[in-house]
Amino acid sequence: MKFEKSCGVIVYRRNQEHIDLLLVKNRYGGHWSFPKGHVEGNETEVQTALREVREETGLEVRLQSGFRQIVEYFPKPNVKKQVVYFLGEAKSSRVKKQEEEISRIIWTDIRRAWRIVAFENDKNLIWMAHKSLQ
């Protein structure tokens, strides 16, 4: 069995009445999710997560301490993937998408984000982020 590890960030911003989440649509998968990518070399989980957010969205984020969630799944036969997610507040709202990998980026209300994401793992992550931000 092959093992893959990625790290990503559930990126948020606070508005007057609500919290928005950043969702990305990958060119290859075609579903809405969060910025993430493979660990490279000797990177730490945090370094990978911050690099991937910066590469895919152009955003710098401030990670919230104490939030680290692990999702595991099997994207292909004989491949187990682990993704470690952090929760991070965007330092600005201005995004610049990575054209090679990302087809669209949106900011959306946390409730709408829950309806847009395709996978149950992502819905659970939104729920945990929401609880953590209360």
Side-chain angles (χ1 to χ4, degrees):
M1 170 120 7
K2 184 180 173 193
F3 179 76
E4 296 179 357
K5 184 171 185 177
S6 291
C7 299
V9 181
I10 302 161
V11 180
Y12 72 95
R13 68 179 180 190
R14 293 184 186 273
N15 284 330
Q16 290 95 355
E17 295 96 35
H18 61 275
I19 295 168
D20 286 337
L21 295 184
L22 182 91
L23 297 179
V24 298
K25 188 179 256 191
N26 190 289
R27 286 199 184 281
Y28 309 107
H31 59 274
W32 291 102
S33 191
F34 311 105
K36 68 179 182 301
H38 291 95
V39 175
E40 294 180 1
N42 293 325
E43 283 182 324
T44 66
E45 292 175 346
V46 167
Q47 288 170 331
T48 299
L50 293 175
R51 176 183 52 76
E52 285 294 335
V53 169
R54 192 171 45 255
E55 286 178 1
E56 292 184 1
T57 70
L59 291 172
E60 298 288 335
V61 296
R62 184 175 24 266
L63 296 182
Q64 180 176 316
S65 64
F67 189 99
R68 180 182 178 273
Q69 298 294 324
I70 298 173
V71 171
E72 293 184 334
Y73 59 97
F74 297 87
K76 299 177 236 177
N78 295 317
V79 177
K80 183 177 184 179
K81 183 163 187 164
Q82 180 185 78
V83 185
V84 178
Y85 284 101
F86 299 95
L87 181 61
E89 185 171 15
K91 294 181 180 180
S92 78
S93 295
R94 184 167 287 183
V95 296
K96 183 180 184 300
K97 74 179 165 102
Q98 181 184 40
E99 296 293 336
E100 309 86 63
E101 290 185 31
I102 306 299
S103 64
R104 289 188 60 204
I105 297 176
I106 60 170
W107 284 106
T108 188
D109 175 86
I110 198 166
R111 288 174 186 85
R112 183 168 174 253
W114 191 86
R115 291 192 306 271
I116 291 173
V117 297
F119 298 112
E120 202 60 37
N121 285 336
D122 289 342
K123 291 182 185 299
N124 290 336
L125 288 167
I126 290 171
W127 172 247
M128 288 182 268
H130 182 67
K131 282 179 23 180
S132 182
L133 293 169
Q134 297 269 323

